[in-house]
Amino acid sequence: MAPALEEGGERETSVAQNNSLNSVVNDATHRSKVTVIGSGNWGSVAAKLIASNTLRLSSFHDEVRMWVYEETLLSGEKLTDVINRTNENVKYLPGIKLGKNVVADPDLESAVKDSNMLVFVTPHQFMEGICKRLVGKIREDAEAISLVKGMEVKMEGPCMISSLISQQLGINCSVLMGANIANEIAVEKFSEATVGYRLNREVAERWVQLFYTHYFIVTAVQDVEGVELCGTLKNVVAIAAGFVDGLEMGNNTKAAIMRLGLREMKAFSKLLFPSVKDSTFFESCGVADLITTCLGGRNRKVAEAYARNGGKRSFDELEAEMLQGQKLQVWS
């Protein structure tokens, strides 16, 4: 009888081990894999935020792929090689470690392979070309989120970046916007952001999980267009704020520009999309992002220089000189 008991015990142990193994396999299969498409200042910070959470949360694969537009540095090395060797984007975010689980990849198709969570964070001018290259190259069940602050203006009317992604790639696209000066978040100074989602609250919560840290607080609202338009239109107001600084018109004038600008942002947004919610303008993506951009954003900085030079130097020239490869945040 004793051997029979032992044999049964072995069978039970074997079944338990198989169940455990199947559970591990299933967990690995269902874990989300993330790719960050873009590697500039904000893209690198986004990768850092995400990488800290994928290591911590069992619902995500540890590795975070980051697509890098390949450049040759003054040293002669490729940017991707330096990022992967030093764990640092030495050109766009020097001095900040991204996380050892961030892998830079100069091949766009390779970077998105098998990923079901795609984070778009490139200058808006390049988005249409990137989307065209991704058609047929991504998973059918992929979800996207856009951190791109800008829009495409075409003959048939304005096109939001989230809509561009959804239309060209056939996938759902949320957005993340807020008072997010990248260099401050990189050194873990407190900041907030807003995820705008369309229908699926569960998807929104996954994006919140992916970005949320003790210094980067993320909330979700069901208003993609409102959140995205806030992130776009505040850049126009910031140019006006830069003119005020360049002409030395004072803080009272600047405050008036911000107040009037917020009112115009709201009116314009509702004209384009009547569904936009009033409450969205009081989230981080709204008034907070407007304030921080009018105080410290790149648009304000270049617009100030333009005014101080009496308009004699073009925005293109000042952008190239002052932004070290970054782009002004407007629409095209």
Side-chain angles (χ1 to χ4, degrees):
M1 293 295 293
L5 286 173
E6 287 177 9
E7 186 177 321
E10 287 173 1
R11 279 198 298 270
E12 288 175 6
T13 300
S14 177
V15 169
Q17 288 173 338
N18 285 337
N19 287 340
S20 177
L21 180 60
N22 288 336
S23 177
V24 170
V25 171
N26 287 334
D27 285 346
T29 302
H30 289 98
R31 282 189 297 168
S32 294
K33 185 175 181 181
V34 185
T35 294
V36 178
I37 300 169
S39 59
N41 188 240
W42 184 211
S44 298
V45 173
K48 177 181 185 288
L49 288 167
I50 291 166
S52 69
N53 283 327
T54 58
L55 287 177
R56 184 176 61 84
L57 298 170
S58 60
S59 53
F60 298 97
H61 283 279
D62 288 353
E63 183 181 276
V64 176
R65 289 264 160 183
M66 181 173 73
W67 175 65
V68 177
Y69 180 78
E70 190 66 283
E71 300 179 54
T72 302
L73 302 175
L74 293 175
S75 64
E77 291 182 278
K78 299 292 187 184
L79 179 58
T80 49
D81 292 339
V82 176
I83 292 173
N84 288 330
R85 177 169 55 81
T86 66
N87 191 227
E88 183 181 324
N89 189 334
V90 294
K91 179 167 184 179
Y92 295 109
L93 196 66
I96 301 296
K97 297 300 181 184
L98 303 181
K100 292 183 178 179
N101 53 323
V102 175
V103 177
D105 191 335
D107 184 316
L108 182 58
E109 186 175 339
S110 168
V112 302
K113 182 177 171 59
D114 298 327
S115 290
N116 65 324
M117 298 187 79
L118 305 177
V119 180
F120 288 88
V121 54
T122 67
H124 72 278
Q125 299 95 321
F126 305 138
M127 279 302 305
E128 189 164 11
I130 288 171
C131 286
K132 286 179 179 177
R133 291 171 61 188
L134 288 176
V135 172
K137 308 297 183 183
I138 62 172
R139 286 173 49 165
E140 290 184 1
D141 65 342
E143 288 280 342
I145 193 166
S146 171
L147 279 61
V148 181
K149 296 181 176 180
M151 66 163 66
E152 293 286 324
V153 178
K154 302 182 178 181
M155 291 298 293
E156 57 270 27
C159 178
M160 308 308 298
I161 298 300
S162 63
S163 297
L164 178 73
I165 293 168
S166 292
Q167 290 166 8
Q168 293 211 10
L169 300 181
I171 58 176
N172 181 54
C173 185
S174 304
V175 297
L176 182 144
M177 306 283 158
N180 303 147
I181 292 178
N183 287 333
E184 295 181 10
I185 301 168
V187 294
E188 304 188 2
K189 292 182 178 179
F190 182 83
S191 183
E192 297 179 308
T194 311
V195 166
Y197 70 98
R198 213 167 286 286
L199 295 172
N200 193 328
R201 178 77 190 188
E202 287 185 15
V203 170
E205 290 300 335
R206 280 167 62 202
W207 288 120
V208 169
Q209 274 191 319
L210 193 61
F211 284 94
Y212 193 106
T213 70
H214 69 277
Y215 61 91
F216 192 69
I217 308 302
V218 186
T219 55
V221 298
Q222 192 174 5
D223 187 6
V224 170
E225 288 82 10
V227 172
E228 191 167 11
L229 277 165
C230 281
T232 298
L233 298 176
K234 55 92 184 185
N235 290 316
V236 181
V237 183
I239 292 173
F243 290 158
V244 169
D245 289 339
L247 297 172
E248 298 182 357
M249 297 176 71
N251 291 327
N252 293 338
T253 305
K254 194 171 184 179
I257 287 289
M258 286 191 273
R259 185 190 73 82
L260 293 167
L262 182 62
R263 188 173 71 180
E264 290 298 314
M265 286 167 56
K266 181 178 172 184
F268 187 77
S269 297
K270 285 180 168 290
L271 182 65
L272 288 179
F273 299 100
S275 63
V276 168
K277 299 175 180 177
D278 289 348
S279 58
T280 299
F281 294 88
F282 295 96
E283 299 288 343
S284 178
C285 63
V287 63
D289 196 7
L290 175 66
I291 291 169
T292 200
T293 306
C294 287
L295 295 179
R298 70 185 78 160
N299 279 29
R300 187 220 62 82
K301 178 180 178 181
V302 174
E304 178 184 2
Y306 181 87
R308 289 193 185 281
N309 283 278
K312 295 176 182 176
R313 300 184 66 193
S314 71
F315 273 96
D316 287 343
E317 182 184 355
L318 292 167
E319 176 187 74
E321 179 184 302
M322 300 175 69
L323 299 186
Q324 298 177 320
Q326 291 182 293
K327 298 293 183 182
L328 287 169
Q329 295 171 309
V330 287
W331 56 54
S332 59

